[in-house]
Amino acid sequence: MAAKSQEGSKKNIFKFQDLKTLPDEIKDYSPSLQNEHTPILIDNGSFQCRAGWMSDERPSLVLRNAIAKSRGKKDGEMEILIGNDISNIELVRWSLKSQFDRDVVTHYDAQEQIFDHIFSRLGINTQGSVEHPVVLTECVCNPNYSRQSMNELLFECYHVPQVVFGIDSLYSLYYNQPMQENNTALVISSGYQVSHILPVVNGKLDARSCKRINIGGSHCVGYMQRLLQLKYPSHTAQITLSRAQEIVHDHTYLATDYHEELCRWLNEDYSNKEQCVMQLPFTQPAGGQNTAVKDEEKERLRREKQGRRLQEINCKKLQEKLSEEEARLKKLLKIRKLENNENKFKAAMTKEGFQTAEEFQLAIENLSMITKKRSEKVKKLQASIQAA
């Protein structure tokens, strides 16, 4: 049974893909697309943006709906990266910018840059205008101001002939389950920032009964990252949002009955069979097994060098102090030679701050003793420095 468990666990070991995106290519803008004025479909989601032609079965562009600024490698100037131009999102995550506030578009400068990227990658080369109708998704119960600003952007900046707005989850419902006028359904739309519950009554959305929950995929990813970082604190830096997102997208599922799932996972055989093991990339330390020994030796040499440097600084200070004291002693001894001339001796002694001859003599004796001891200390320090 143990062997079976090990075999099952080996099958479920996964390595992180750490996929790097490639810049989008400029598509071919065929004469048929241009002459027939084929509508452009744009699914403007808060996580991904998908765009393409109405005549195609699949979107021509699928990109992360984000903008980042990065310093160029050649000239060092700031350049704007959009969507798939961002090869490694973790390097520029601190500078990521989105046109969304939750699920509502509020930053239209960023939205304009996204539109520029989409239209240019679709190959549209008409001067000053986009001569195609646009079908654009928007959030549920989009504010009038937001829709008005989007209309102004599309009509005044790109001069599109027509714009149609719609809700992506309703488009999906009508496409996958063609409904009659009297059909009723309940749509649960789980987005990146928010989730919506949309009742469809007699084939139409009941907008007054819609519910919005401010929890989406981004919260699941952030929660997964925090759980893993708390459980594996030694790998905090390696557990990035991108890797947590890969786990959530590729290795998790929605339980239809949560309590039943918990009971299943209490079974050891089921747990060993279904559990996933994520393997972080391993980086061999430079120097292999001898790295620790070399680091200890390097640290020992660093400490010795630092200690020797401190001894040199201390010795230099003592020498400076000794020079001052010797100069002072030499001056006092010179004054003592004036004892035969009482007037000059008293004047010189008073100038140095002494009131009596006894005080003057005591100062000479103390200073002589101090200089002798300090001189011996300096010699010992110099000897220890040379020995090191």
Side-chain angles (χ1 to χ4, degrees):
M1 183 174 176
K4 184 178 179 181
S5 299
Q6 290 178 0
E7 182 181 355
S9 63
K10 286 181 180 179
K11 291 181 181 178
N12 295 334
I13 296 178
F14 299 93
K15 293 183 179 180
F16 285 102
Q17 300 298 315
D18 290 336
L19 297 177
K20 304 292 177 66
T21 58
L22 298 174
D24 296 309
E25 298 178 355
I26 299 177
K27 309 297 181 182
D28 183 30
Y29 188 41
S30 63
S32 61
L33 292 173
Q34 185 172 3
N35 296 331
E36 296 176 6
H37 300 289
T38 306
I40 300 172
L41 304 180
I42 302 176
D43 182 7
N44 194 32
S46 57
F47 176 68
Q48 272 189 341
C49 180
R50 292 176 288 182
W53 301 101
M54 180 77 78
S55 56
D56 296 339
E57 292 186 1
R58 294 183 176 276
S60 303
L61 298 173
V62 179
L63 54 105
R64 178 74 180 266
N65 224 346
I67 301 171
K69 290 184 179 181
S70 177
R71 195 171 296 279
K73 294 182 179 179
K74 294 183 179 180
D75 50 9
E77 295 183 358
M78 298 300 292
E79 58 179 348
I80 296 176
L81 304 176
I82 299 175
N84 294 329
D85 294 341
I86 309 172
S87 60
N88 190 347
I89 201 167
E90 292 301 328
L91 296 179
V92 294
R93 188 173 290 280
W94 59 273
S95 66
L96 281 183
K97 183 180 179 182
S98 173
Q99 68 269 42
F100 287 92
D101 183 359
R102 293 191 183 273
D103 61 335
V104 180
V105 177
T106 56
H107 306 290
Y108 288 91
D109 291 338
Q111 185 63 67
E112 183 179 350
Q113 291 176 323
I114 294 290
F115 280 151
D116 287 343
H117 182 83
I118 291 172
F119 295 141
S120 65
R121 294 306 185 272
L122 288 177
I124 299 173
N125 53 14
T126 50
Q127 188 68 28
S129 64
V130 176
E131 299 173 355
H132 297 270
V134 173
V135 179
L136 182 67
T137 61
E138 63 178 5
C139 65
V140 180
C141 301
N142 192 28
N144 290 332
Y145 172 77
S146 181
R147 180 180 287 186
Q148 179 184 350
S149 300
M150 188 68 76
N151 278 326
E152 289 178 3
L153 177 62
L154 289 170
F155 284 119
E156 296 181 10
C157 183
Y158 299 100
H159 301 95
V160 298
Q162 292 175 312
V163 177
V164 175
F165 295 97
I167 300 171
D168 55 352
S169 55
L170 294 183
Y171 282 147
S172 177
L173 173 66
Y174 296 145
Y175 177 80
N176 291 293
Q177 295 185 0
M179 303 174 65
Q180 303 297 327
E181 291 184 358
N182 58 351
N183 282 356
T184 300
L186 184 66
V187 178
I188 300 176
S189 173
S190 181
Y192 187 61
Q193 296 288 350
V194 300
S195 298
H196 285 99
I197 301 173
L198 310 176
V200 179
V201 182
N202 296 328
K204 294 183 178 180
L205 175 67
D206 183 5
R208 291 187 177 183
S209 302
C210 293
K211 299 296 180 183
R212 162 175 156 165
I213 305 171
N214 292 326
I215 296 176
S218 64
H219 303 89
C220 297
V221 172
Y223 185 57
M224 174 67 77
Q225 184 195 29
R226 289 195 295 272
L227 287 177
L228 293 174
Q229 287 179 339
L230 287 172
K231 187 173 183 180
Y232 306 102
S234 58
H235 300 296
T236 299
Q238 291 181 294
I239 302 173
T240 61
L241 271 175
S242 297
R243 286 173 176 165
Q245 178 179 295
E246 182 180 332
I247 293 174
V248 172
H249 287 187
D250 299 342
H251 303 287
T252 61
Y253 62 94
L254 183 65
T256 54
D257 190 328
Y258 182 72
H259 294 288
E260 184 180 344
E261 284 293 323
L262 287 180
C263 294
R264 287 181 184 177
W265 281 93
L266 290 175
N267 187 304
E268 186 177 355
D269 292 337
Y270 181 84
S271 175
N272 290 332
K273 181 181 178 182
E274 298 296 329
Q275 69 181 355
C276 297
V277 178
M278 303 302 300
Q279 183 174 337
L280 287 168
F282 174 73
T283 305
Q284 178 69 33
Q289 297 179 352
N290 295 327
T291 305
V293 178
K294 290 183 178 179
D295 288 344
E296 290 179 2
E297 180 67 17
K298 188 184 293 185
E299 180 65 19
R300 185 183 64 81
L301 293 174
R302 187 190 68 80
R303 286 198 299 266
E304 289 181 356
K305 185 177 180 181
Q306 187 176 10
R308 188 164 55 251
R309 176 63 178 161
L310 290 173
Q311 285 182 333
E312 291 175 354
I313 293 172
N314 192 21
C315 183
K316 186 176 180 180
K317 289 181 178 180
L318 288 175
Q319 286 178 332
E320 291 175 355
K321 191 69 175 175
L322 179 62
S323 299
E324 293 176 1
E325 291 170 346
E326 286 179 344
R328 171 75 170 166
L329 179 60
K330 187 177 181 180
K331 189 175 183 180
L332 295 181
L333 292 175
K334 188 176 181 182
I335 293 173
R336 191 169 65 174
K337 293 180 179 179
L338 300 175
E339 287 180 336
N340 296 330
N341 191 333
E342 186 175 351
N343 293 331
K344 289 185 177 180
F345 176 69
K346 284 184 177 182
M349 188 176 64
T350 304
K351 187 178 180 181
E352 293 298 323
F354 300 104
Q355 300 298 325
T356 61
E358 290 78 8
E359 184 181 351
F360 177 73
Q361 185 61 33
L362 183 61
I364 291 177
E365 292 176 358
N366 290 337
L367 199 55
S368 300
M369 184 175 59
I370 291 173
T371 52
K372 184 178 180 181
K373 289 182 178 180
R374 203 179 298 278
S375 177
E376 293 176 355
K377 192 173 182 179
V378 169
K379 289 179 181 178
K380 288 181 180 179
L381 268 176
Q382 289 176 340
S384 63
I385 292 171
Q386 291 176 357

